């Protein structure tokens, strides 16, 4: 148990009063305005409501340098994460230092104004090295820094006009002062915060409850719903899961509140940042996980941070943060005693059966619709996860044929469509080259730009079909590797993507010349003809390559069916 108790007095916010806000909003409409990105909106919300206290705005150049190099603002205050307003060079050129700008959300609502005191071009490679540990694009925040963030940073104090609007789970969102008031009202003087971006299972429920009991404190489940690691379970599903788990704690011991934080996955620095944020929200303790806020593997396949780096850095600074670290206890299920126990406290390890299901194994079982035992998770949580992620044989997917004109793409695609319709269960849409060029891309020609646009449109439609649980079969030429990869990325967020190279040789396509186009192309009557006067980049690692010479169409389509079965996409 610890003596740390929270001072639940309100903390400073950056909002002006309601009346001033109405006036400021009208004035701000005249200012040069910046449409914020989703990540900037998350940062702004926590700046304005005091979640990032003591920051008063986006970092100045001097504060930024201090934060990057020593985790400290220029006045010496501990602050581990650069909270910067990145903009394009073009926007930066239109702004003079000293000017006020309006900060808008993505619908154009003015949320705040900012007085620009600083404008500079950061050394991003240096920021990546210092803050994230390596200038390696495998780190999601480093990738964001180089490939999404603008080149120039603006700094300056923010004047808050209104909170960003949320339409989801409104009753579950609290500002730091709302949480402080809540704790005051309940008489909670010690609160353990549990930061999470994952669904909670029984082990989490056990370890969080135990952590609170040991600290003689109450518990706050404080999940991040802003931006988490790409590929995470979406926050809508997670919140429904958290609500189910909340019922499992003894009543009046535990609260839950959603935090609109944009995580950076910065491991040790992120843990310290999370601590400061929880302190601002009125908590006295925080559970720090092994590999807390870890970003996964670097481009050499190794971990970015050591498993205990986050706990070590947190412990070093906890007095200054004003929040006490609670170790994350690894809980495992002991079958003979039908209960969870901390792994390092089991004396009779060799005489009992210890059960555990890893994250990877859980994902496999969900994907294949296999059993998830009750000792592992709560039935309500499993049901939510299954609803969101049905087994692969019930999910949507995209089959993307690519190959030269006349290679047989459309014929095989048609045969495949009919076979899938015979099986039933999911709607099938064929996006054949010719159909698309008639209905979606009728104004386009065959320049590289137009072909890319055509393929991206096909990818967009296929991704929507995949998201909605259907099967999209695409059959364009799609001659460029990079464009095909972009389509793959669009679709893989929602379901499987199978690239199938219809590998009929140019000689054979030209010999068949089913539409008479090759002849015209040779005569120069059709320009930019793929294979003749325009490039075709062969796929290097397609999911499947089909040869059509001496193989009939039915067999080619059957090969695709076998591939789909082997990937679990259709029941065997
Ligand atoms: S692309 O490159 O993926 O956007 O092409 P796609 O939409 O599949 O369109 C290919 C069909 O258009 C006809 N056609 C041409 N193909 C290639 N190059 C040129 N210059 C060209 N002009 C017309 C041709 O019939 C292609 O049909 P398929 O079914 O592939 O034979």
């Amino acid at each position: 148990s610890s003596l740390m108790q929270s001072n639940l007095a309100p903390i400073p916010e950056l909002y002006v009063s309601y009346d001033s806000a109405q006036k400021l909003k009208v004035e701000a409409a005249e200012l040069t305005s910046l449409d914020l990105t989703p990540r900037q909106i998350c940062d702004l919300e926590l700046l304005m409501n005091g979640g990032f206290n003591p920051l008063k705005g986006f970092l100045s150049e001097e504060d930024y340098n201090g934060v990057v190099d020593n985790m400290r603002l220029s006045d010496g205050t501990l602050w581990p994460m650069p909270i910067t307003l990145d903009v394009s060079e073009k926007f930066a050129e239109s702004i003079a230092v000293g000017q006020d700008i309006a900060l808008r959300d993505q619908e154009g609502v003015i949320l705040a104004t900012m007085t620009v005191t600083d404008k500079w071009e950061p050394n991003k490679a240096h920021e990546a090295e210092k803050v994230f540990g390596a200038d390696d694009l495998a780190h999601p925040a480093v990738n964001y820094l180089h490939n999404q963030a603008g080149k120039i940073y603006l700094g300056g104090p923010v004047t808050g006009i209104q909170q960003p609007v949320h339409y989801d789970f409104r009753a579950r969102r609290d500002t730091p002062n709302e949480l402080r008031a809540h704790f005051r009202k309940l008489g909670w003087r010690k609160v353990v915060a549990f930061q999470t971006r994952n669904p909670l299972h029984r082990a989490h429920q056990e370890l969080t409850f135990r952590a609170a009991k040991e600290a003689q404190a109450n518990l706050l489940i404080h999940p991040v719903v802003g931006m988490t690691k790409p590929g995470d379970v979406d926050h809508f599903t997670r919140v429904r899961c958290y609500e189910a788990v909340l019922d499992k704690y003894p009543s009046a011991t535990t609260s839950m509140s959603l935090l609109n934080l944009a995580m950076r996955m910065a491991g040790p620095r992120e843990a310290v940042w999370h601590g400061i944020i929880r302190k601002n929200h009125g908590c006295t303790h925080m559970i720090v996980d092994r590999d807390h806020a870890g970003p996964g593997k670097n481009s050499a396949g190794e971990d970015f941070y050591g498993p205990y780096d986050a706990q070590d850095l947190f412990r070093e600074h906890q007095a200054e943060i004003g929040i006490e670290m609670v170790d994350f206890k690894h809980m495992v299920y002991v079958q003979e005693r039908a209960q969870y126990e901390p792994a390092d406290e089991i004396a009779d390890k060799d005489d009992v059966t210890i059960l555990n299901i890893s994250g990877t194994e859980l994902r496999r079982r969900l994907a294949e619709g296999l059993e998830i035992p009750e000792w592992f998770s709560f039935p309500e949580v499993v049901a939510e996860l299954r609803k969101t992620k049905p087994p692969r044989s019930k999910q949507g997917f995209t089959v993307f044929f690519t190959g030269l004109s006349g290679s047989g793409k459309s014929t095989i695609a048609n045969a495949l469509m009919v076979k899938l319709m015979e099986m039933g269960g999911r709607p099938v849409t064929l996006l054949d080259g010719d159909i698309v060029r008639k209905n979606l891309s009728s104004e386009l020609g065959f320049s590289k730009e137009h072909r890319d646009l055509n393929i991206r449109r096909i990818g967009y439609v296929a991704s929507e079909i995949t998201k909605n649980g259907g099967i999209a079969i695409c059959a364009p030429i799609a001659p460029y590797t990079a464009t095909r990869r972009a389509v793959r990325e669009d679709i893989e967020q929602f379901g499987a993507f199978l690239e199938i190279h219809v590998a009929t040789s140019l000689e054979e396509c030209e010999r068949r010349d089913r539409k008479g186009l090759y002849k015209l192309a040779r005569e120069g009557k059709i320009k930019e003809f793929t294979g003749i006067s325009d490039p075709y980049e062969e796929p290097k690692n397609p999911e499947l390559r089909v040869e059509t010479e001496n193989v009939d169409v039915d067999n080619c389509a059957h090969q695709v069916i076998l591939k789909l079965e082997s990937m679990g996409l259709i029941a065997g």
Side-chain angles (χ1 to χ4, degrees), residues 403-407 409-410 432-434 436-437 441 445-447 450-452 454-455 458 475-480 515 517-518 526-531 533-534:
L404 296 169
S405 171
S407 56
K409 302 181 298 288
S410 309
D432 193 16
D434 288 340
V436 170
R437 284 203 170 258
S441 294
F446 291 89
S447 65
H450 278 193
R451 287 181 197 263
D452 282 350
N454 180 42
I455 300 306
I458 295 174
I477 297 178
Y480 298 107
K515 298 181 185 165
L517 296 174
Y518 282 95
I526 304 179
K527 304 267 178 296
E528 303 177 303
F529 196 83
T530 305
S533 43
D534 221 49

Side-chain angles (χ1 to χ4, degrees), residues 1 6 14 20 25 28 72 81 85 89 95 117 153 213 246 258 267 270 325 384 419 421 439 467 477 518 542 566:
S1 114
S6 147
L14 306 183
S20 314
K25 196 164 193 163
R72 290 189 185 279
M81 195 59 60
L85 188 64
E89 272 178 296
I95 298 297
T117 58
Y153 287 175
K213 214 157 71 178
L246 201 55
L258 307 181
E270 179 118 2
M325 180 171 87
E384 284 299 342
K419 282 178 189 290
M421 289 168 79
N439 294 304
K467 180 172 86 185
I477 297 178
Y518 282 95
S566 77

Side-chain angles (χ1 to χ4, degrees), residues 200-214 219 245 248-249 287 329-333 338-342 375-376 378:
L200 304 186
H201 303 294
R202 281 187 198 270
H204 302 102
Q205 196 270 339
E206 295 275 348
L207 83 87
T208 50
F209 185 62
R210 182 177 288 256
K213 214 157 71 178
E214 279 174 13
L219 177 65
V245 176
K248 312 296 174 191
Y249 294 93
I287 299 171
K329 277 227 186 299
H330 182 53
M331 305 292 291
V332 291
Y333 187 75
Q339 65 181 7
Y340 277 88
E341 295 176 15
W375 63 261
F376 178 77
F378 305 102

